[in-house]
Amino acid sequence: DDYETAAAAYEQVLEGVPADFSALYGLAQAYEGLGRTADALSYARRALAAAPADKTAEVQALVDRLEAP
């Protein structure tokens, strides 16, 4: 599955660079695709904390979507 492959790749990046924004955001999106909402939200929040200013709104939208009931 593409989401599983992507998640594994992002996890590997994060082992070396735990605060890598692109990997955190990508992993959040991969977990969302896999239906792992709690994990996706955890990584989305971490991505939001690490996000450059031009990506904050995009990541906040993901957090909001994941938090929605």
Side-chain angles (χ1 to χ4, degrees):
D1 183 67
D2 290 339
Y3 286 121
E4 290 176 6
T5 301
Y10 290 129
E11 288 166 354
Q12 189 171 10
V13 170
L14 292 171
E15 285 178 19
V17 187
D20 183 274
F21 165 74
S22 295
L24 290 167
Y25 188 46
L27 188 54
Q29 293 175 308
Y31 281 159
E32 180 185 27
L34 290 168
R36 294 174 56 179
T37 305
D39 291 327
L41 183 55
S42 174
Y43 281 95
R45 287 177 175 152
R46 288 177 58 191
L48 185 59
D54 65 331
K55 294 291 184 181
T56 301
E58 181 179 339
V59 181
Q60 184 63 58
L62 175 61
V63 169
D64 293 345
R65 183 169 69 245
L66 292 167
E67 288 179 336

